Amino acid sequence: MEKLKKYASVKDEDQFYHQGAVELLVFNFLLILTILTIWLFKKHRFRFLHETGGAMVYGLVMGLLIRYATKASNVENGTVYECEKLESGPSTLLLNITNQVYEYQYKREISHHNINGHQGNAMLQKMTFDPSIFFNILLPPIIFHAGYSLKKRHFFRNLGSILTYAFLGTAISCIVIGLIMYGFVKAMVHIGQLKAWEFHFTDCLFFGSLMSATDPVTVLAIFHELHVDTDLYTLLFGESVLNDAVAIVLTYSISIYSPKENPNAFDAAAFFQSVGNFLGIFAGSFAMGSSYAVHLTKFTKLCEFPMLETGLFFLLSWSAFLSAEAAGLTGIVAVLFCGVTQAHYTYNNLSSDSRMRTKELFEFMNFLAENVIFCYMGLALFTFQNHIFNPLFIFGAFVAVFIARACNIYPLSFLLNLARKQKIPRNFQHMMMFSGLRGAIAFALAIRDTGSQPKQMMFTTALLIVFFTVWVFGGGTTPMLTWLQIRLLIGFEYTPPLSVNLSEICHFFTVGQQQSCSVWKQICV
C-alpha cells in the first residue's frame, strides 16, 4: 500500500511538471505566431489590426481549443466536501485522513455554478495564472521601459499638462465611472439582478479606479511608426505612463477604504486615511525608485567590463521594484521613476557598449512581456473559470468609460490652454479622447482580486472593454489621424544616408498630409 501511494505521488509530480511544460509551450507557440504576424503586418503595412490585437486573437483561439478540446483529467477535482467547523477560508489547511496528515493551500474561490463544470480540467487550471506573475515579472519591465525611453526634452516641455492629465484626469475618470456605475448597480438591484448587500459604492469606485488606467500601446506604436507630431505623442505617452502609476496607487487606496458602519455612507476618517495612504505610498515609492539612480558605476570602473556593468544596471533597476514591495509600497511606481531617473542620470555614466545593451535589453523585455500579457488576455476569456457576464453592467461600463474619458480630456484641455503658449488644438483633443484604450494595467488590476462575485463581474467586464478598445480604437488609429487631419512626418529629419528606403519615405505621403517641401517631392519622384 505504501509503495502504491509513493508511486501515485511521483506520478502526480511528473504530471505537474508535464503540464507546466505544456503551458510554456502554448505561450511559446503563441509568441512565435505573434512575431510572424508582426513581420507580415510591417511588410504589407497593415494597420487595421495592430499586433497586440492579433496576439489577443491568437489567445482567444487557443483558449477556445483548451476549453472545449481538452478533457477533465480527474473527476474527483470537482467533488465538494463540507467542512462545517470552518467559518472562513484559511490559507493553509491540514487534513487528517485515516491518521495521514495532508497539507492543502488556498488557491481561489470557486463560484457555485462552476463546481460541476470544468473544475476537473487540469489544463484549464494551469492556464489560469497567479496574478502575482503579472505584477512581479511581466509588468516591471514594461513600466521601466516606459520611463527609460522617455524623450526628456519633449516630456519636460509638456510636464505641467502631463501631470494634470495623469493626476487630476485619473481622479476625474475614477469618480465619474464610479458614480455612473453606482447608478447602474442601483438599477440592477431594483430589477432583481443583484442583492443590495452584494455591491457597494466603494466597489463602484474600485472599478472606476482600475478602468481609469489607460494603456494606448497600440496607438503609440502607430504614432511612432508614422512620426506623428511630437507634442501629441508626448502628451499621450506621458499621460499613460504616469496614469498607470496613479491608477495602481488609487486602486489600493480605495480597496483599504473601510467605513466602520454603512459601506455606502461617507466616512470622513476613512476617506482621509485613504488619501493619506495614497500620498504616502506615492511619495515613498517615488523616493525609493529615484534613489536607485545613484548607480555604482559612478564610483567604480565597471565601464571596463560592459557585461558586468549591464548586469549591475539590470539588477539595481529590478531591486527598486522589489525594495518598494518589501517596504509595503508600490513597486510599479518605484520602477517607473527608477527608469526615468536612470535615463536622466545613470545612462550618461554608462559605457557606450552598456548604453546600447541596456536599451536593447529593456526594449526586448518590454516587447516580450507585452505580447505575453495580450496573449493571455485572449486566453483568459475561455480559461478563467469564474466569469460573470451581466449585460446591463457591461453596457453601463462602456458608457461610463467613454463619458469619463470625455470629462477628463476636454475640460482639462480647456483649462490648460488658458496658460499654455502652444495651445492643444481641437483635433489633438479628439485624438487623445479616441486613444484612451484600456490594456495591461486595467487587466492586471482586475485579475489581482477575483475572490468575490462583484470582483469577478468587474474582471469579466474589464476584459471585454480591453478587447473592444484595442480592436476597434487601435485598428482605427490611422483612419482617425487622416480624418482629423493630423500632420505626419513632424520631427522627421532627412539626412542623406548611404542607402535610403525610398518606398518607406514615400509611403508617409499616402497616409497623411503631403508636405510642401520640394526636396521630399523630388526624392519621391
Side-chain angles (χ1 to χ4, degrees):
M1 190 65 181
E2 291 295 330
K3 290 183 178 180
L4 286 175
K5 287 184 179 180
K6 187 175 181 180
Y7 173 76
S9 176
V10 172
K11 187 177 180 180
D12 290 341
E13 188 174 351
D14 290 342
Q15 183 71 12
F16 175 81
Y17 288 115
H18 168 72
Q19 292 170 357
V22 171
E23 179 185 5
L24 292 176
L25 180 62
V26 167
F27 278 99
N28 277 358
F29 181 64
L30 290 175
L31 288 175
I32 291 171
L33 282 176
T34 302
I35 290 173
L36 292 176
T37 303
I38 293 172
W39 170 70
L40 288 174
F41 283 7
K42 290 185 179 296
K43 183 179 179 181
H44 299 285
R45 300 190 184 96
F46 183 77
R47 296 191 181 93
F48 292 101
L49 179 65
H50 193 257
E51 51 255 30
T52 53
M56 293 169 67
V57 172
Y58 290 139
L60 277 172
V61 174
M62 185 61 69
L64 186 66
L65 291 175
I66 294 174
R67 175 71 177 269
Y68 295 107
T70 58
K71 296 181 180 180
S73 58
N74 188 357
V75 179
E76 287 298 315
N77 287 344
T79 305
V80 179
Y81 298 95
E82 301 294 336
C83 297
E84 298 178 355
K85 294 184 179 180
L86 293 178
E87 297 180 355
S88 60
S91 59
T92 302
L93 189 64
L94 300 179
L95 294 182
N96 188 342
I97 303 174
T98 62
N99 294 327
Q100 295 287 333
V101 179
Y102 301 90
E103 179 182 0
Y104 293 87
Q105 290 186 340
Y106 172 82
K107 190 172 184 180
R108 61 182 174 273
E109 180 184 355
I110 303 297
S111 297
H112 288 286
H113 64 275
N114 279 333
I115 290 176
N116 297 319
H118 50 270
Q119 293 301 320
N121 193 326
M123 187 65 180
L124 280 174
Q125 293 176 2
K126 284 292 293 180
M127 296 306 292
T128 304
F129 269 16
D130 184 346
S132 62
I133 294 177
F134 284 101
F135 278 88
N136 295 330
I137 299 176
L138 296 178
L139 284 183
I142 295 175
I143 301 298
F144 182 87
H145 178 262
Y148 194 58
S149 60
L150 272 179
K151 291 180 172 60
K152 293 178 288 185
R153 182 167 62 90
H154 299 294
F155 179 79
F156 288 106
R157 188 174 68 189
N158 295 281
L159 182 60
S161 301
I162 291 172
L163 292 177
T164 302
Y165 286 125
F167 284 86
L168 188 57
T170 304
I172 291 174
S173 296
C174 172
I175 294 171
V176 171
I177 294 175
L179 289 174
I180 294 175
M181 293 311 301
Y182 188 63
F184 275 92
V185 165
K186 284 292 186 181
M188 293 165 64
V189 171
H190 181 71
I191 63 178
Q193 292 186 2
L194 278 178
K195 302 295 183 183
W197 50 268
E198 288 182 337
F199 222 107
H200 304 299
F201 180 64
T202 51
D203 295 321
C204 296
L205 279 180
F206 179 84
F207 181 72
S209 63
L210 67 90
M211 291 312 302
S212 298
T214 60
D215 187 21
V217 58
T218 306
V219 176
L220 290 174
I222 296 174
F223 278 13
H224 180 73
E225 186 178 351
L226 297 180
H227 297 272
V228 174
D229 186 284
T230 51
D231 283 331
L232 175 59
Y233 181 92
T234 303
L235 284 173
L236 192 59
F237 179 75
E239 182 217 356
S240 66
V241 169
L242 293 180
N243 160 271
D244 291 343
V246 174
I248 290 170
V249 181
L250 188 61
T251 302
Y252 175 75
S253 300
I254 292 174
S255 66
I256 63 175
Y257 173 79
S258 54
K260 295 181 179 179
E261 298 179 359
N262 184 5
N264 290 317
F266 177 76
D267 189 326
F271 172 76
F272 286 111
Q273 181 182 1
S274 296
V275 172
N277 282 324
F278 174 84
L279 296 176
I281 291 173
F282 202 94
S285 301
F286 169 79
M288 182 75 73
S290 301
S291 65
Y292 277 89
V294 183
H295 206 284
L296 293 180
T297 55
K298 177 74 174 178
F299 311 105
T300 62
K301 292 184 178 181
L302 277 177
C303 58
E304 299 174 0
F305 307 96
M307 185 63 70
L308 300 180
E309 190 179 33
T310 304
L312 182 62
F313 182 93
F314 172 79
L315 292 175
L316 284 176
S317 301
W318 197 16
S319 296
F321 173 83
L322 297 175
S323 299
E325 290 291 328
L329 303 172
T330 302
I332 297 298
V333 178
V335 81
L336 167 64
F337 289 104
C338 177
V340 173
T341 50
Q342 293 274 42
H344 182 70
Y345 176 78
T346 312
Y347 180 81
N348 298 319
N349 295 318
L350 296 176
S351 63
S352 58
D353 288 345
S354 294
R355 290 179 186 178
M356 181 182 66
R357 284 178 177 175
T358 53
K359 273 188 172 289
E360 292 179 347
L361 171 65
F362 287 107
E363 186 177 4
F364 170 73
M365 292 179 66
N366 170 72
F367 167 79
L368 209 59
E370 210 166 63
N371 281 281
V372 167
I373 289 178
F374 278 96
C375 285
Y376 183 66
M377 286 183 194
L379 277 170
L381 187 62
F382 292 104
T383 58
F384 183 72
Q385 303 176 42
N386 294 292
H387 280 303
I388 298 179
F389 294 91
N390 188 296
L392 186 57
F393 188 86
I394 293 170
F395 173 75
F398 273 92
V399 172
V401 165
F402 294 131
I403 293 178
R405 185 66 179 172
C407 294
N408 173 1
I409 296 298
Y410 295 116
L412 293 182
S413 298
F414 172 78
L415 295 176
L416 290 170
N417 281 338
L418 298 177
R420 282 176 64 103
K421 292 182 179 179
Q422 187 173 356
K423 309 298 183 185
I424 303 174
R426 203 65 176 174
N427 58 347
F428 280 20
Q429 297 177 34
H430 296 328
M431 194 66 223
M432 293 180 69
M433 169 70 189
F434 183 83
S435 303
L437 282 67
R438 270 59 181 177
I441 303 298
F443 173 78
L445 288 172
I447 200 175
R448 197 173 193 178
D449 182 8
T450 56
S452 62
Q453 289 193 7
K455 298 296 176 61
Q456 292 162 8
M457 191 185 302
M458 292 180 200
F459 172 67
T460 302
T461 305
L463 190 59
L464 294 177
I465 291 177
V466 170
F467 286 159
F468 180 83
T469 56
V470 170
W471 285 337
V472 176
F473 292 159
T477 299
T478 304
M480 183 60 68
L481 287 171
T482 305
W483 186 67
L484 292 175
Q485 297 183 350
I486 295 176
R487 294 189 301 167
L488 309 179
L489 281 175
I490 301 298
F492 186 82
E493 299 176 357
Y494 171 69
T495 54
L498 295 177
S499 61
V500 60
N501 189 342
L502 296 181
S503 63
E504 285 289 334
I505 295 176
C506 296
H507 169 67
F508 287 110
F509 295 106
T510 66
V511 294
Q513 288 186 337
Q514 295 190 1
Q515 307 299 306
S516 60
C517 179
S518 59
V519 176
W520 287 110
K521 290 183 178 179
Q522 291 174 6
I523 291 174
C524 288
V525 172

